[in-house]
Every structure is written in structure tokens, then in C-alpha cells.
Amino acid sequence: MRHIKQVLVGLLALVSLLWVAAEPGVFQSAGFFAIRAVAVQYTGVLAIALMSVAMMLALRPRWPERWMGGLDKMYRLHKWLGITALIVAIIHWLWTQGPKWAVGWGLLERPARGDRPPIENQVEAAFSSLRGTAEGVGEWAFYAVVALIALALVRAFPYRLFYKTHRLLALAYLVLMFHSVVLLTLADWMTPLGAAMAVLLAGGTFSAGVVVVRRVGAARQVKGRIAELTYYPGVKALETVIDVPAGWPGHRPGQFAFAMSDASEGAHPYTIASGWHPDHPRITFVTKELGDHTRGLKERLKVGQEVRVEGPYGCFTFDDDCRSQIWIGGGIGITPFIARMKHMALRGEAPDWPQGQVADLFHTTSDVDEVALAKLAEDARAAQVQLHLLIDARDGRLTGARIRDAVPDWRDASIWFCGPAGFGAALRADFATEGFPVDKRFHQELFDMR
């Protein structure tokens, strides 16, 4: 989380500094309309810069994933960039339209304009001829962006519709890119600000094109076929085993992938709940019924059905040198730990983790399925992991104090949490008050891709 905050703040600071350097007379602006012109330029530059980076992150690039802590963190940054860009764009729009309203209401008087000298620079003349068009289409694109981002933030908006409408932001971005290129002061293009904007706009335009033609992650997709389906009614979860005979690069326990069985629904992210062995190229997903799509999977999916799998992604991979690890899986958040235990059992006498490292797994659940819990206990025994099972109605809530009582050397351990975000935040805060270095050793999956 620390790194994505640094990216957001750093981007705002860098663009602001470059803009001030390109407009050294900004602080000498006199009069309301002169200040308005400066504010319109600055907010416009800032908004399109934020949107450009958000658009590039939409491609799910691999190179920044480890530094940022995983694709889940990158998607959180993508969301923050979108919200920040929306706020700045609204301010930009208000600076553009507000004075016009005030003049119409008689609250402001527009300064008289003298005759403008003819424009001799052909490039400047061409841009000037496009100003009216750029302003008009930019305004309508702004309205579209407001509506689309608002829909994306409404949790009740179905994912299948979010998947379709969110792509329209790429088209709106292309219109706003044209708007920005035409309306940015021509002299600014000759400065470091112009160079930075050219790079951002080029990256954003390329990314938007990839989104529009629906090729995001295409190079990392493989065809698989469903080999097994097992439904656990007590926990309302479906286990899907998929054969991936060719192309899958392998995965590490704790990573996730996007799976698509219906093109109209789009790809959904799921944590992989299996280890990997190239001699048995299979991956397993365990999907809990949490929405319209997941509730219907047990009826729609069939053994032998073809699916597309993209990935793997994520850095929730249990990598550290701590003598012990504390794993906490809330509800369906148990899946990365199942994968880790299966991996440990597969490695057997050839571990790829620090010698002598031990793990305590805390699984808290409100739903009970005896078959699923028996499998979990069997996985824990095979991996030599200490399982602490808490059923809410029987055992009460899992708290930091209960974990510390069960693991005496918790101060020297690392904590790996996957489950409801609020639960994770509460545990993180609880351990922080006890002096635990949460910034370094509390790892939490932010499994929220919208």
C-alpha cells in the first residue's frame, strides 16, 4: 500500500512541478479571468495525466507488479487514480463553465477583447481552428466519464454490465486526449512538461486502443478444459478443476488468475486453490456464491467445457525468512492457503521455503460443510501446518488476542491475511497497537478488482 500511495502523490507532485516550470508567470496572474485561464490549464493537464496512468494500468502490466505488491494493489491504484482524475476534472469543468454562468447572471463582467493579431505559425493556426471542436467534444466526453466512473463505484451495479460499460472509458479517454492535445498551450509542448505529457498521452492512447479491441492480457491467456466440478452446499462454494495442457507458465501458491467461461460475462478473477506440477498441468478454483454470476456457475459450468485462463498474477506468495508464519483465511479467503498447503505437500522432502519454517493457519467461517472442512484438515496434515478452525456460531469471533494466545512467538512471525477487507483492517490495527511491524510483516490481499 505504501508504494501505491507514493505513486499517486508523486505523480500529482511531478506534474504540478513541471507545469509551474513551464508557466513561471503563473503566480503573477492578475484579475479573475487571468486566474481562471491558469486554473483551467492546470486542472486539465493534471486530470489527463492521471487518466493516462490509470489507462496504462488497465493493461495489467507485469513489470511494476512486484514493486507495487501485486496486481491487486495496482488495481487499487487504478481506482484511486480514476477517482482523483474525476475530482480534478469536475474542478476543471467548474472553472470552465462557472464564470460563463456568472456572466449570464450578471455577477461578472467579461473583459473586453481587442482584435487578435493573425496567427502566422501554421501549426498554431491549425490547433486554433480545432479549438471549438475540441472544447465541444471534450465537454461531452467529460459527462460520459462522470457517468461511467459513478457506475463503476456503485457496488450494486452488476459485474457483467460493469465489464461492458467500463470499456467505454477508453473511448472517452481518446476524445479527451484530442481535447488535451489541442487545448494545451502550444508553448508548453516545447518544455519538459510537454515531453512528459507526450509520453503519458502516447501510453494512454496505446492502452485505450488495446482496451477497445478487447486484447487486454491476450498474450497471457491459455485455453483450458474443465476436468472436475465439486459443489459444497454447506459453504455454497464450487470447486472447479481445469486442465491447462499447453501454454500455462505455472503459478505460485497465493497467486490468482482471470477465468472466462462466457464471453458476454467477461473474465473474473479467482485465487488459485492448487499447487503446480508440470507433469500434471491443472489449476483449481474454489468459487463462493457471492453474486449473480457466481450463484449460477454450478448450473452453467459442465465437465469438458472450454474456458480461458489468464495469468498468473499477484505477490501474495508467502516469501519471507521468518521462522514462523501466521495465516488467516476468512471465509472464501482460505483459498490461497489451500494452494500453499498443496504446494508444500507436493514438494515433500525438497522444500523451497526456509528450513524449519512453520505455519499456523486460522480459518474462521460462518458456513459449515463437513466434506470441505475434512479436506482442509487433510491438506493441513499433509503440509504439517497447524490448523485452528473457528466456526463463528460455535467459537465466536477471531481476534488478535486469540491469535497471540495460540502463537506464543507471534512477535517474530509474519502474518498473511486473506478475507473480508474490514476484518483484515481490524486485525492489522490490533497488531499495530501491540507493536507488531505491520508495514513490513502484515501481508493482505486486496482482492477487489473494481
Short mmCIF file of all heavy atoms in Angstrom, two decimals, residues 217-225 242-251 257-261 276 281-283 285 306-312:
data_model
loop_
_atom_site.label_atom_id
_atom_site.label_comp_id
_atom_site.label_asym_id
_atom_site.label_seq_id
_atom_site.Cartn_x
_atom_site.Cartn_y
_atom_site.Cartn_z
N GLY A 217 -4.40 -8.49 -21.78
CA GLY A 217 -3.95 -9.77 -21.26
C GLY A 217 -3.98 -10.91 -22.26
O GLY A 217 -3.81 -12.07 -21.88
N ALA A 218 -4.17 -10.61 -23.55
CA ALA A 218 -4.33 -11.67 -24.55
C ALA A 218 -3.10 -12.57 -24.62
O ALA A 218 -3.21 -13.78 -24.83
CB ALA A 218 -4.62 -11.07 -25.92
N ALA A 219 -1.91 -12.00 -24.45
CA ALA A 219 -0.67 -12.79 -24.55
C ALA A 219 -0.50 -13.73 -23.37
O ALA A 219 0.34 -14.64 -23.42
CB ALA A 219 0.53 -11.85 -24.64
N ARG A 220 -1.28 -13.53 -22.30
CA ARG A 220 -1.14 -14.37 -21.11
C ARG A 220 -2.35 -15.30 -20.93
O ARG A 220 -2.57 -15.83 -19.86
CB ARG A 220 -0.96 -13.49 -19.87
CG ARG A 220 0.32 -12.66 -19.92
CD ARG A 220 0.56 -11.92 -18.62
NE ARG A 220 -0.39 -10.84 -18.42
CZ ARG A 220 -0.24 -9.62 -18.93
NH1 ARG A 220 0.82 -9.32 -19.66
NH2 ARG A 220 -1.15 -8.68 -18.70
N GLN A 221 -3.14 -15.46 -21.99
CA GLN A 221 -4.31 -16.32 -21.93
C GLN A 221 -4.02 -17.70 -22.51
O GLN A 221 -3.31 -17.82 -23.52
CB GLN A 221 -5.48 -15.69 -22.68
CG GLN A 221 -6.03 -14.43 -22.05
CD GLN A 221 -7.17 -13.82 -22.84
OE1 GLN A 221 -7.60 -14.38 -23.85
NE2 GLN A 221 -7.66 -12.67 -22.40
N VAL A 222 -4.55 -18.72 -21.88
CA VAL A 222 -4.44 -20.08 -22.40
C VAL A 222 -5.83 -20.71 -22.39
O VAL A 222 -6.71 -20.30 -21.62
CB VAL A 222 -3.47 -20.95 -21.57
CG1 VAL A 222 -2.07 -20.36 -21.58
CG2 VAL A 222 -3.97 -21.12 -20.14
N LYS A 223 -6.01 -21.70 -23.25
CA LYS A 223 -7.26 -22.44 -23.27
C LYS A 223 -7.17 -23.63 -22.33
O LYS A 223 -6.18 -24.36 -22.31
CB LYS A 223 -7.57 -22.94 -24.69
CG LYS A 223 -7.92 -21.83 -25.67
CD LYS A 223 -8.26 -22.41 -27.03
CE LYS A 223 -8.62 -21.31 -28.02
NZ LYS A 223 -8.93 -21.87 -29.36
N GLY A 224 -8.19 -23.79 -21.53
CA GLY A 224 -8.27 -24.93 -20.63
C GLY A 224 -9.59 -25.64 -20.80
O GLY A 224 -10.48 -25.17 -21.52
N ARG A 225 -9.71 -26.76 -20.12
CA ARG A 225 -10.96 -27.52 -20.20
C ARG A 225 -11.29 -28.05 -18.81
O ARG A 225 -10.42 -28.56 -18.09
CB ARG A 225 -10.83 -28.67 -21.20
CG ARG A 225 -12.15 -29.28 -21.63
CD ARG A 225 -11.96 -30.18 -22.85
NE ARG A 225 -11.47 -29.44 -24.00
CZ ARG A 225 -12.25 -28.76 -24.84
NH1 ARG A 225 -13.57 -28.71 -24.63
NH2 ARG A 225 -11.73 -28.14 -25.88
N ILE A 242 -9.37 -27.45 -13.66
CA ILE A 242 -9.23 -27.16 -15.08
C ILE A 242 -7.91 -27.73 -15.60
O ILE A 242 -6.84 -27.45 -15.03
CB ILE A 242 -9.28 -25.64 -15.35
CG1 ILE A 242 -10.60 -25.06 -14.83
CG2 ILE A 242 -9.10 -25.34 -16.83
CD1 ILE A 242 -10.66 -23.56 -14.88
N ASP A 243 -7.97 -28.50 -16.66
CA ASP A 243 -6.77 -28.95 -17.35
C ASP A 243 -6.24 -27.82 -18.22
O ASP A 243 -6.99 -27.24 -19.03
CB ASP A 243 -7.07 -30.17 -18.23
CG ASP A 243 -7.26 -31.44 -17.42
OD1 ASP A 243 -6.57 -31.59 -16.39
OD2 ASP A 243 -8.10 -32.28 -17.81
N VAL A 244 -4.96 -27.51 -18.10
CA VAL A 244 -4.32 -26.49 -18.94
C VAL A 244 -3.11 -27.15 -19.60
O VAL A 244 -1.97 -26.94 -19.20
CB VAL A 244 -3.92 -25.24 -18.14
CG1 VAL A 244 -5.12 -24.36 -17.88
CG2 VAL A 244 -3.25 -25.61 -16.81
N PRO A 245 -3.34 -27.95 -20.63
CA PRO A 245 -2.28 -28.80 -21.17
C PRO A 245 -1.15 -28.06 -21.87
O PRO A 245 -0.05 -28.61 -22.01
CB PRO A 245 -3.03 -29.70 -22.17
CG PRO A 245 -4.26 -28.93 -22.54
CD PRO A 245 -4.63 -28.16 -21.32
N ALA A 246 -1.38 -26.83 -22.32
CA ALA A 246 -0.32 -26.13 -23.06
C ALA A 246 -0.39 -24.63 -22.78
O ALA A 246 -1.47 -24.05 -22.70
CB ALA A 246 -0.47 -26.38 -24.56
N GLY A 247 0.78 -24.03 -22.61
CA GLY A 247 0.86 -22.58 -22.54
C GLY A 247 0.89 -21.99 -21.15
O GLY A 247 1.40 -20.88 -20.96
N TRP A 248 0.34 -22.68 -20.16
CA TRP A 248 0.32 -22.12 -18.80
C TRP A 248 1.73 -22.13 -18.22
O TRP A 248 2.39 -23.17 -18.18
CB TRP A 248 -0.63 -22.92 -17.92
CG TRP A 248 -0.83 -22.31 -16.55
CD1 TRP A 248 -0.35 -22.79 -15.36
CD2 TRP A 248 -1.55 -21.12 -16.24
NE1 TRP A 248 -0.74 -21.97 -14.33
CE2 TRP A 248 -1.48 -20.93 -14.84
CE3 TRP A 248 -2.25 -20.19 -17.01
CZ2 TRP A 248 -2.07 -19.86 -14.19
CZ3 TRP A 248 -2.85 -19.12 -16.36
CH2 TRP A 248 -2.76 -18.96 -14.97
N PRO A 249 2.24 -20.96 -17.76
CA PRO A 249 3.63 -20.89 -17.31
C PRO A 249 3.87 -21.47 -15.93
O PRO A 249 5.00 -21.50 -15.45
CB PRO A 249 3.90 -19.38 -17.32
CG PRO A 249 2.57 -18.76 -17.03
CD PRO A 249 1.57 -19.64 -17.73
N GLY A 250 2.81 -21.92 -15.28
CA GLY A 250 2.93 -22.35 -13.89
C GLY A 250 2.60 -21.19 -12.98
O GLY A 250 2.58 -20.03 -13.39
N HIS A 251 2.31 -21.50 -11.72
CA HIS A 251 1.96 -20.46 -10.78
C HIS A 251 2.52 -20.79 -9.41
O HIS A 251 2.92 -21.93 -9.14
CB HIS A 251 0.43 -20.32 -10.68
CG HIS A 251 -0.25 -21.58 -10.26
ND1 HIS A 251 -0.73 -22.50 -11.18
CD2 HIS A 251 -0.53 -22.10 -9.04
CE1 HIS A 251 -1.28 -23.52 -10.53
NE2 HIS A 251 -1.16 -23.31 -9.23
N ALA A 257 -5.78 -15.82 -10.97
CA ALA A 257 -5.90 -15.76 -12.43
C ALA A 257 -7.28 -15.28 -12.79
O ALA A 257 -8.21 -15.32 -11.98
CB ALA A 257 -5.63 -17.14 -13.04
N PHE A 258 -7.43 -14.82 -14.04
CA PHE A 258 -8.73 -14.46 -14.57
C PHE A 258 -9.24 -15.65 -15.39
O PHE A 258 -8.51 -16.21 -16.20
CB PHE A 258 -8.62 -13.23 -15.47
CG PHE A 258 -8.35 -11.96 -14.72
CD1 PHE A 258 -7.05 -11.60 -14.39
CD2 PHE A 258 -9.37 -11.10 -14.36
CE1 PHE A 258 -6.78 -10.44 -13.70
CE2 PHE A 258 -9.12 -9.93 -13.67
CZ PHE A 258 -7.82 -9.60 -13.33
N ALA A 259 -10.48 -16.02 -15.16
CA ALA A 259 -11.08 -17.14 -15.89
C ALA A 259 -12.35 -16.65 -16.58
O ALA A 259 -13.12 -15.87 -16.01
CB ALA A 259 -11.41 -18.29 -14.95
N MET A 260 -12.53 -17.10 -17.82
CA MET A 260 -13.71 -16.70 -18.58
C MET A 260 -14.34 -17.93 -19.22
O MET A 260 -13.71 -18.63 -20.01
CB MET A 260 -13.34 -15.68 -19.66
CG MET A 260 -14.54 -15.20 -20.48
SD MET A 260 -14.14 -13.81 -21.58
CE MET A 260 -12.99 -14.58 -22.72
N SER A 261 -15.57 -18.18 -18.84
CA SER A 261 -16.33 -19.27 -19.44
C SER A 261 -17.44 -18.75 -20.35
O SER A 261 -18.01 -19.52 -21.13
CB SER A 261 -16.96 -20.15 -18.34
OG SER A 261 -17.77 -19.35 -17.47
N TRP A 276 1.23 -26.45 -8.18
CA TRP A 276 1.51 -26.63 -9.60
C TRP A 276 2.58 -27.69 -9.80
O TRP A 276 3.61 -27.69 -9.11
CB TRP A 276 1.97 -25.32 -10.22
CG TRP A 276 2.46 -25.49 -11.65
CD1 TRP A 276 3.75 -25.47 -12.09
CD2 TRP A 276 1.64 -25.72 -12.80
NE1 TRP A 276 3.79 -25.68 -13.45
CE2 TRP A 276 2.51 -25.84 -13.91
CE3 TRP A 276 0.27 -25.86 -12.99
CZ2 TRP A 276 2.04 -26.08 -15.20
CZ3 TRP A 276 -0.19 -26.10 -14.29
CH2 TRP A 276 0.68 -26.19 -15.36
N PRO A 281 -0.59 -30.76 -15.39
CA PRO A 281 -0.92 -29.35 -15.63
C PRO A 281 -2.40 -29.04 -15.37
O PRO A 281 -3.22 -28.99 -16.28
CB PRO A 281 -0.55 -29.13 -17.09
CG PRO A 281 -0.71 -30.49 -17.72
CD PRO A 281 -0.33 -31.49 -16.66
N ARG A 282 -2.71 -28.82 -14.11
CA ARG A 282 -4.07 -28.49 -13.71
C ARG A 282 -4.05 -27.32 -12.74
O ARG A 282 -3.09 -27.15 -12.00
CB ARG A 282 -4.75 -29.67 -13.02
CG ARG A 282 -5.19 -30.79 -13.92
CD ARG A 282 -5.92 -31.87 -13.14
NE ARG A 282 -6.71 -32.73 -14.01
CZ ARG A 282 -7.55 -33.65 -13.59
NH1 ARG A 282 -7.71 -33.84 -12.28
NH2 ARG A 282 -8.23 -34.39 -14.43
N ILE A 283 -5.11 -26.53 -12.76
CA ILE A 283 -5.30 -25.50 -11.75
C ILE A 283 -6.72 -25.64 -11.21
O ILE A 283 -7.64 -26.09 -11.91
CB ILE A 283 -5.05 -24.08 -12.28
CG1 ILE A 283 -5.96 -23.78 -13.46
CG2 ILE A 283 -3.61 -23.89 -12.67
CD1 ILE A 283 -5.79 -22.36 -13.98
N PHE A 285 -9.90 -23.71 -8.95
CA PHE A 285 -10.52 -22.54 -8.36
C PHE A 285 -11.62 -23.00 -7.41
O PHE A 285 -12.32 -23.98 -7.70
CB PHE A 285 -11.15 -21.63 -9.42
CG PHE A 285 -10.18 -21.07 -10.42
CD1 PHE A 285 -10.29 -21.38 -11.77
CD2 PHE A 285 -9.16 -20.21 -10.03
CE1 PHE A 285 -9.41 -20.86 -12.70
CE2 PHE A 285 -8.28 -19.69 -10.95
CZ PHE A 285 -8.40 -20.02 -12.29
N GLU A 306 -14.88 -25.70 -22.39
CA GLU A 306 -13.65 -24.92 -22.59
C GLU A 306 -13.74 -23.60 -21.85
O GLU A 306 -14.79 -22.95 -21.83
CB GLU A 306 -13.41 -24.66 -24.07
CG GLU A 306 -12.10 -23.94 -24.36
CD GLU A 306 -11.87 -23.71 -25.85
OE1 GLU A 306 -11.43 -24.67 -26.52
OE2 GLU A 306 -12.14 -22.59 -26.33
N VAL A 307 -12.65 -23.21 -21.22
CA VAL A 307 -12.56 -21.92 -20.54
C VAL A 307 -11.22 -21.28 -20.91
O VAL A 307 -10.28 -21.97 -21.31
CB VAL A 307 -12.66 -22.06 -19.00
CG1 VAL A 307 -14.00 -22.58 -18.59
CG2 VAL A 307 -11.55 -22.96 -18.47
N ARG A 308 -11.16 -19.97 -20.76
CA ARG A 308 -9.91 -19.26 -20.97
C ARG A 308 -9.38 -18.80 -19.62
O ARG A 308 -10.13 -18.25 -18.81
CB ARG A 308 -10.11 -18.05 -21.89
CG ARG A 308 -10.27 -18.42 -23.35
CD ARG A 308 -10.26 -17.18 -24.25
NE ARG A 308 -10.31 -17.55 -25.64
CZ ARG A 308 -9.24 -17.81 -26.40
NH1 ARG A 308 -8.04 -17.72 -25.85
NH2 ARG A 308 -9.37 -18.14 -27.66
N VAL A 309 -8.11 -19.01 -19.40
CA VAL A 309 -7.48 -18.64 -18.14
C VAL A 309 -6.32 -17.69 -18.44
O VAL A 309 -5.50 -17.97 -19.33
CB VAL A 309 -6.97 -19.88 -17.39
CG1 VAL A 309 -6.39 -19.49 -16.03
CG2 VAL A 309 -8.09 -20.90 -17.21
N GLU A 310 -6.26 -16.60 -17.70
CA GLU A 310 -5.21 -15.58 -17.91
C GLU A 310 -4.44 -15.36 -16.62
O GLU A 310 -5.04 -15.15 -15.56
CB GLU A 310 -5.85 -14.26 -18.36
CG GLU A 310 -4.86 -13.12 -18.52
CD GLU A 310 -5.53 -11.77 -18.58
OE1 GLU A 310 -6.70 -11.71 -19.04
OE2 GLU A 310 -4.92 -10.77 -18.15
N GLY A 311 -3.14 -15.39 -16.73
CA GLY A 311 -2.33 -15.12 -15.55
C GLY A 311 -1.02 -15.86 -15.60
O GLY A 311 -0.55 -16.24 -16.68
N PRO A 312 -0.43 -16.16 -14.45
CA PRO A 312 -0.92 -15.81 -13.11
C PRO A 312 -0.51 -14.42 -12.69
O PRO A 312 0.41 -13.83 -13.26
CB PRO A 312 -0.23 -16.86 -12.22
CG PRO A 312 1.09 -17.08 -12.92
CD PRO A 312 0.79 -16.98 -14.39
#
